[in-house]
Amino acid sequence: MIATEHEIFWPFSPESDKYPNPESIEWTRCWFDGGRDWPESDCGHLRVPENWDRPNGRSVTLPFIIFRTHKSVPGRVPVLVAGGGGPGNPLGVVPENSDEMHKSSWLTYVYMSLDAGRDLILTDNRGVGSSSPRLNCPEVIDAEMRLMQQVMTPRVATKDRAKAFHACKERLTDEGIDVSQYNNVAAVRDIDFLRDSLGLETLNIYGISYGTRIALTYLREFPESTRTLVLDSVDPPEVNFLEVSPRQNFSSLKRVFELCSRDSFCRTRHGTALYDGFVDLLTELKERPKSLQLTDPRNSQKFTAQLTPELLVSSIFGAIYDEGKIGRIPGTIQALIDGNVRPVTKLVQEEYVDFLTLYPLDAGAYASYQCYDEFPFNDIEIAAEESGKYPLQDHMNIPWILSEKAMCEVWDLKKTDPIETAPVSSNVPVLLYSGDLDPVTPPVWAREALRFLPNGRHRVWMGIGHDVMSVSECADRFAAAFLASPMDNPFRLHCVDKPRAIVFGVH
């Protein structure tokens, strides 16, 4: 059955006592000050059971924001953003992000929601960001910062990471938190409880990256409550992430060099053998790592990091997420080959140190979700064998695979239902977006999900990496057309984004 829009009871006033579950919501003053152009907003805290099978036990609190449309269109079904990516990345609705909220929390979706007469609902997944309890792990961040200053084998480094995860789990357990209750199934039950508590019959769900996994799980668990899905940078459950990532990650890294060789400026400046030079550079760094002077943003203290092949490849891979940074990579590599460490120092600072400390994912939540619906269905031997096929992946995927295995052994979750690795099949209309430069959720994954979604439509956006909606205004406008008439082709709408091109050089 495909849900349609119709007149629904939408009592959005916090003073209303007519909600189906009024005791589950505590309305609060919003913790941010909007500008004149900001939409009106209501804020609240949703209380849900930590363990849905024990409704009278410990509770979880999920702050949420409702940005209200300036157009009063009766019956328009709201758009709910199904958390951030990761798993474990906050959506950005915590008070300390209030000064940037106009950039991340509503402007990205303005055409398909607020400008289209739809309210926009934002909330983090349980265990993440603004939720309480928050399963963050400063122990893991501290361990990574220490590891960066040393040179050790992946297996020795894995032991240190395992100790950090063990310390984090012990602390969370001592606080009374049951880490086994933080997963995608519990998260979608939270979302549906919020829907019901707000008196809504259906939702339009938007998901980005791991949020697409949450959105698809919601469709599987609550098909009658799902009007549509909009999936951006798709992570479908049937893809064995650890097994297929080595090939995908290598292809993304190799493509940087291919793009350089096709660009006249980059080719003239760096020649056609930059990739071979990079491989030789990694061999040199394995034998003699270079020292980099970096800054810990948490305390502004300087420290010396060892530029190993693992640190360099991971930092470059982080830059590929953002197509605007790809053009820096060849020049940074060439400078390092020539003995100039300034560009690579900037790269490692921004893409590794700052990401780790200023914009961290909540590692405890990452472990709970990842060890529930991803890791159990991957063959680690196959993942390691795949990594060995590609010359750069020993420096990235092998350490990652070893760490994932050690993390999940520490987290020690119960056996997961095999349904978590099955494709989601549904006639509900679904719109799927992929960036052709995406290093982590490639277009082929969206096409795999599309096989089981007969009313799905997929578009690949050229020159864009991860998170299409954040950079393409047309993606938002097409989504608005899709939500207005889900069974029609939204791409008939005429819309052209501003031209985007990778600009090569050290900048």
Side-chain angles (χ1 to χ4, degrees):
M1 175 181 175
I2 298 173
T4 58
E5 289 187 287
H6 54 283
E7 289 283 343
I8 57 173
F9 178 58
W10 187 229
F12 246 171
S13 169
E15 290 76 27
S16 172
D17 59 357
K18 298 179 181 178
Y19 292 94
N21 298 297
E23 72 284 352
S24 65
I25 293 178
E26 177 188 356
W27 293 101
T28 62
R29 180 181 296 276
C30 289
W31 48 87
F32 49 87
D33 295 320
R36 291 183 179 180
D37 59 339
W38 280 43
E40 293 184 11
S41 54
D42 290 330
C43 297
H45 293 80
L46 180 75
R47 293 184 302 279
V48 297
E50 182 180 63
N51 185 336
W52 276 99
D53 293 330
R54 298 175 183 173
N56 296 321
R58 181 188 176 99
S59 64
V60 170
T61 302
L62 302 171
F64 64 90
I65 302 170
I66 303 168
F67 288 109
R68 299 174 64 175
T69 177
H70 56 279
K71 296 181 178 180
S72 180
V73 183
R76 285 284 169 90
V77 176
V79 174
L80 181 140
V81 181
N89 283 129
L91 190 57
V93 300
V94 292
E96 54 263 33
N97 287 345
S98 60
D99 59 332
E100 298 184 354
M101 201 165 288
H102 66 289
K103 299 177 184 178
S104 61
S105 289
W106 63 269
L107 196 59
T108 297
Y109 328 104
V110 67
Y111 294 114
M112 73 171 179
S113 59
L114 304 176
D115 277 6
R118 303 178 190 282
D119 293 293
L120 178 65
I121 305 172
L122 306 175
T123 184
D124 279 323
N125 300 138
R126 59 167 53 204
V128 179
S130 63
S131 71
S132 178
R134 181 179 184 181
L135 275 60
N136 57 339
C137 290
E139 301 91 341
V140 173
I141 296 174
D142 291 342
E144 293 295 337
M145 292 293 285
R146 289 194 302 271
L147 290 171
M148 203 185 316
Q149 301 173 55
Q150 306 171 53
V151 178
M152 58 182 64
T153 66
R155 294 189 181 279
V156 174
T158 296
K159 291 182 179 180
D160 276 15
R161 293 188 175 104
K163 290 178 182 177
F165 273 103
H166 184 269
C168 180
K169 185 186 179 185
E170 270 198 336
R171 174 178 56 78
L172 295 174
T173 301
D174 287 345
E175 293 172 6
I177 298 168
D178 181 356
V179 298
S180 71
Q181 299 304 317
Y182 296 79
N183 53 59
N184 61 333
V185 173
V188 301
R189 294 187 72 173
D190 299 340
I191 291 172
D192 199 62
F193 189 63
L194 178 60
R195 174 201 62 77
D196 183 63
S197 297
L198 293 175
L200 295 168
E201 292 186 10
T202 59
L203 290 169
N204 298 299
I205 304 284
Y206 169 83
I208 165 66
S209 193
Y210 186 79
T212 66
R213 178 75 67 93
I214 298 291
L216 285 165
T217 304
Y218 186 85
L219 174 59
R220 185 191 75 205
E221 297 293 315
F222 302 102
E224 299 299 323
S225 300
T226 310
R227 179 175 179 264
T228 67
L229 297 185
V230 179
L231 306 178
D232 184 349
S233 306
V234 186
D235 175 22
E238 63 268 32
V239 172
N240 288 341
F241 195 92
L242 275 70
E243 295 178 18
V244 302
S245 285
R247 179 175 64 181
Q248 167 61 21
N249 297 162
F250 175 74
S251 297
S252 299
L253 289 164
K254 189 71 182 296
R255 189 170 185 183
V256 174
F257 299 94
E258 294 169 353
L259 290 170
C260 179
S261 67
R262 294 201 295 264
D263 180 86
S264 58
F265 171 83
C266 196
R267 183 175 62 251
T268 300
R269 189 156 187 173
H270 305 302
T272 58
L274 184 61
Y275 171 74
D276 294 331
F278 180 57
V279 173
D280 291 341
L281 173 65
L282 294 176
T283 300
E284 294 176 14
L285 289 175
K286 189 170 185 177
E287 297 174 358
R288 293 181 298 278
K290 291 184 179 294
S291 296
L292 302 180
Q293 297 302 308
L294 301 172
T295 301
D296 186 338
R298 298 173 299 177
N299 52 26
S300 300
Q301 296 296 310
K302 301 288 186 181
F303 69 95
T304 301
Q306 299 301 312
L307 185 63
T308 61
E310 291 79 10
L311 182 57
L312 178 58
V313 173
S314 294
S315 299
I316 290 174
F317 188 76
I320 299 175
Y321 272 76
D322 183 348
E323 65 281 349
K325 297 178 180 179
I326 290 176
R328 291 170 45 187
I329 295 173
T332 299
I333 292 171
Q334 186 65 62
L336 188 57
I337 291 173
D338 296 339
N340 179 5
V341 299
R342 287 185 180 179
V344 78
T345 299
K346 180 180 180 182
L347 178 77
V348 174
Q349 179 72 51
E350 293 178 355
E351 302 303 324
Y352 200 91
V353 178
D354 290 353
F355 180 79
L356 179 67
T357 56
L358 296 179
Y359 316 105
L361 59 72
D362 292 326
Y366 175 87
S368 289
Y369 285 84
Q370 187 80 344
C371 299
Y372 177 82
D373 65 18
E374 186 62 56
F375 183 83
F377 306 107
N378 285 257
D379 188 313
I380 298 305
E381 291 185 4
I382 292 176
E385 183 180 336
E386 285 296 307
S387 298
K389 294 179 180 179
Y390 306 102
L392 307 181
Q393 301 322 114
D394 273 353
H395 305 302
M396 188 175 79
N397 292 85
I398 288 294
W400 174 52
I401 291 165
L402 291 173
S403 294
E404 294 285 291
K405 182 175 184 293
M407 174 185 75
C408 290
E409 287 175 349
V410 168
W411 232 243
D412 191 26
L413 301 183
K414 63 182 180 181
K415 188 175 181 180
T416 307
D417 191 323
I419 196 173
E420 298 306 327
T421 194
V424 176
S425 179
S426 174
N427 290 323
V428 166
V430 181
L431 184 64
L432 305 93
Y433 289 157
S434 302
D436 78 312
L437 299 178
D438 192 336
V440 65
T441 55
V444 66
W445 290 11
R447 288 193 284 269
E448 174 63 27
L450 194 63
R451 292 174 52 213
F452 305 93
L453 302 168
N455 289 318
R457 295 183 185 273
H458 178 217
R459 177 162 179 154
V460 179
W461 298 79
M462 306 307 293
I464 291 181
H466 199 64
D467 190 357
V468 172
M469 286 276 287
S470 68
V471 293
S472 170
E473 181 179 300
C474 285
D476 193 7
R477 291 186 181 275
F478 287 138
F482 167 72
L483 294 184
S485 186
M487 297 305 293
D488 294 331
N489 181 7
F491 304 123
R492 292 185 299 180
L493 174 72
H494 179 71
C495 187
V496 179
D497 282 314
K498 294 178 182 178
R500 301 179 63 84
I502 295 174
V503 179
F504 286 96
V506 178
H507 46 274

